[in-house]
Amino acid sequence: VKAVLKRPSNAATIRTDLLAVLLAGPDATLPAAAQALDTKMGGALARAIASGIATAKAGSGTLVPAPKGVPAQAVVLIGLGDGERDDFEAAGRTLGKQAGEARAARAAVLIPDGTDAASSRALVEGTSYGAYRYLPHKAKDPQAAPALSELTLVGSGISSAEVARATATAIAVSAARDLVNAPSNHLTPSDMAARARRLAAEIPGLTCTVLDEKALRRMKAGALLAVAQGSAEPPRMIVMRYQPQGAVKGKKLLGLVGKAMTFDSGGISIKPSSHMEDMKMDMGGGAAVIEGAGLIARLGLALPFIAIVPSAENMPSGTAVKPGDVITAMNGKTIEVINTDAEGRLILADALTYAVREGATHIVDMATLTGAIVVAIGDVYAGLYGSDADWTDAVKAAGETTGDLCWHMPMHKGYDPLIRSKVADLSNSSNKREAGSVYAAQFLREFTDGKPWCHIDVAGTAMIGGAGTGFGVRLIAELAAGMAAKR
Ligand code: BES
Ligand code: MN
Ligand code: ZN
């Protein structure tokens, strides 16, 4: 969805397929800007509110067909709740969904006076989210109307720069959702790399280098190679770098790391077949990092970064890594593979080592790492772990600003017995069924060389109801924007 800005004097004259009017709580008063429109509609809007059909409940939507003489095809009354940022996002999602159902290609929305920029952006992002469909593998329907492609914002409180930022954000989130939704036979590690390369080709200042098997062997990336060795698909380590024009080198370097298992069968420690198809989403962290990195560069934020996305497929075969095997990670630490299904922490181990070696000063990784975090906190919050209080606070705040909610989870050396091995430096899994998400984080920390680092376990939030969410893209861009402003 591309958002455009207009300031027409009269809502009754807006030519569009679907015109949204937002109803603020508690008593859902019709905004003044919609009064003339309602008059032209014979009072239908006021009646819908008076009868209680249309309410201010956040995200509720009531479609009212427009009569002849009104250039909009239909009006949708959307509840705005208390008018918080999240309510604007929910209102947008409803608008996007209604536009899909009404087969509207163009929509417009009246922005209430006094709406702040963050809320206006949330409205655009929500609309794009609600209108999103994943259809590349469906037969083309010749009757199908084009999806919502243009959203006109009507109001005075938002600048065209903010609108452009919201549009770029919505496009990046949709792109991450496409990656998560893509079946693993259509999105291999090489395909992930191709996507990163394309972004780098499009955006000034952004470069991409892809390390193949040979390069990974030369670098002794033993953990990533071990995870990939059971699959016919070769692994990749995708490296994106951004050096904005005029930014001073050598101060802060943001390190973004994202897990990208394009399919996780569990390997020899194979998963149960029920819902195994969802494991095409095990690259959700990597998708957020690639598209988040692209968004930072697209917005031209004045903050250099390095983004590292290790990508592989976890498969059982005659060449697969086996329980009990001892492997050597890139930093020289040995790992006993107790469970081949705890593969994410292995590929991240080498990616974190690489980030540190490349000079990252502040690291954040995103990964669909554990089922345990889903059991603990479900799909509302992602689990946030950190080694540095200030950095963790910054990551958490960026999530709160953008709606990518993160809950701060504990780390403590008291959990370390769970990552100890009798035969190697570390064990990738414990047979105790406790603190599964915590000790995964504890394991990752071993590869961060004491740098300020955060880990976000997005196993519960990257895919909801079988569909990718793009969780993390906006958090990454917001985090970078905050760091750029402070430099
Ligand atoms: N990719 C999974 C985690 C996952 C589970 C993501 C559910 C999304 C939804 C990860 O690789 C995994 O299998 N983790 C194991 C770790 C265990 C073997 C220590 C798990 O959570 O069961
Ligand atoms: Mn696994
Ligand atoms: Zn996995």
Side-chain angles (χ1 to χ4, degrees):
V1 174
K2 185 180 185 324
V4 295
L5 194 60
K6 280 186 191 150
R7 305 184 203 281
S9 49
N10 186 347
T13 63
I14 298 167
R15 188 169 298 280
T16 186
D17 297 327
L18 186 61
L19 175 59
V21 175
L22 306 178
L23 304 177
D27 24 59
T29 36
L30 195 66
Q35 291 295 347
L37 171 70
D38 193 36
T39 305
K40 268 201 168 177
M41 292 179 69
L45 302 180
R47 269 202 306 283
I49 294 165
S51 67
I53 296 173
T55 73
K57 187 173 175 290
S60 67
T62 309
L63 199 66
V64 185
K68 251 201 182 127
V70 174
Q73 297 286 310
V75 174
V76 60
L77 296 169
I78 298 179
L80 193 56
D82 303 329
E84 305 279 315
R85 182 216 165 270
D86 288 358
D87 297 324
F88 277 88
E89 172 135 16
R93 287 189 187 197
T94 300
L95 171 54
K97 244 176 103 193
Q98 293 271 358
E101 276 159 26
R103 297 170 166 260
R106 294 172 314 157
V109 56
L110 305 183
I111 307 273
D113 289 340
T115 302
D116 63 18
S119 296
S120 298
R121 291 205 314 266
L123 185 66
V124 174
E125 291 161 18
T127 304
S128 166
Y129 197 96
Y132 175 89
R133 298 280 175 284
Y134 182 73
L135 298 170
H137 310 294
K138 283 272 199 194
K140 299 274 176 292
D141 177 359
Q143 307 281 66
L148 183 66
S149 61
E150 192 185 279
L151 175 68
T152 301
L153 303 179
V154 183
S156 53
I158 182 168
S159 70
S160 54
E162 293 286 355
V163 173
R165 177 174 168 193
T167 298
T169 303
I171 289 171
V173 171
S174 296
R177 298 179 77 186
D178 282 346
L179 291 172
V180 172
N181 290 332
S184 71
N185 63 327
H186 290 269
L187 187 80
T188 63
S190 311
D191 295 326
M192 292 279 309
R195 170 63 187 158
R197 277 208 177 103
R198 224 191 99 200
L199 283 171
E202 280 172 20
I203 307 170
L206 186 66
T207 61
C208 177
T209 324
V210 178
L211 306 174
D212 62 8
E213 261 179 312
K214 217 173 116 197
L216 291 168
R217 251 181 258 123
R218 214 179 307 122
M219 285 172 27
K220 298 192 161 50
L224 174 56
L225 287 166
V227 168
Q229 76 190 33
S231 172
E233 283 298 334
R236 293 288 183 263
M237 181 102 82
I238 303 159
V239 183
M240 300 164 87
R241 287 187 182 81
Y242 179 59
Q243 184 56 50
Q245 288 202 337
V248 248
K249 274 195 182 173
K251 278 178 80 190
K252 281 184 186 172
L253 181 64
L254 173 63
L256 301 165
V257 174
K259 169 180 173 181
M261 295 303 300
T262 55
F263 189 71
D264 178 14
S265 71
I268 297 295
S269 314
I270 197 161
K271 288 180 182 294
S273 56
S274 168
H275 293 291
M276 202 203 269
E277 69 277 12
D278 285 350
M279 281 303 123
K280 67 176 184 177
M281 62 73 94
D282 209 16
M283 31 53 69
V289 163
I290 290 174
E291 300 302 335
L295 180 57
I296 295 172
R298 194 104 53 201
L299 296 175
L301 300 179
L303 189 84
F305 67 72
I306 177 163
I308 298 151
V309 176
S311 189
E313 199 180 66
N314 189 17
M315 295 290 278
S317 79
T319 61
V321 69
K322 303 173 293 299
D325 286 1
V326 173
I327 61 176
T328 305
M330 200 196 279
N331 70 348
K333 288 193 187 179
T334 58
I335 304 164
E336 183 183 15
V337 179
I338 293 295
N339 190 321
T340 66
D341 198 11
E343 84 299 336
R345 66 202 71 184
L346 299 177
I347 71 169
L348 290 169
D350 285 346
L352 290 166
T353 298
Y354 194 79
V356 169
R357 284 198 187 158
E358 291 295 307
T361 60
H362 294 71
I363 304 173
V364 56
D365 79 65
M366 284 190 192
T368 49
L369 206 63
T370 67
I373 198 68
V374 192
V375 173
I377 58 177
D379 62 13
V380 176
Y381 280 91
L384 170 64
Y385 298 85
S387 64
D388 176 274
D390 290 344
W391 182 232
T392 308
D393 285 347
V395 170
K396 188 165 179 279
E400 250 144 45
T401 305
T402 58
D404 287 341
L405 300 178
C406 298
W407 191 264
H408 190 180
M409 302 288 287
M411 299 199 74
H412 193 279
K413 64 178 179 340
Y415 292 107
D416 276 346
L418 294 163
I419 59 168
R420 257 173 225 143
S421 159
K422 286 205 178 89
V423 301
D425 299 333
L426 292 165
S427 156
N428 82 327
S429 174
S430 152
N431 289 322
K432 287 196 180 170
R433 295 188 69 243
E434 59 187 50
S437 177
V438 183
Y439 79 79
Q442 212 77 25
F443 180 96
L444 295 180
R445 188 182 185 158
E446 296 289 319
F447 300 87
T448 58
D449 199 31
K451 297 278 175 311
W453 153 84
C454 282
H455 158 60
I456 307 179
D457 193 336
V458 296
T461 54
M463 176 186 262
I464 296 180
T469 60
F471 184 99
V473 171
R474 293 185 291 181
L475 184 157
I476 287 171
E478 182 67 28
L479 182 65
M483 290 172 80
K486 271 211 212 115
R487 277 157 48 93

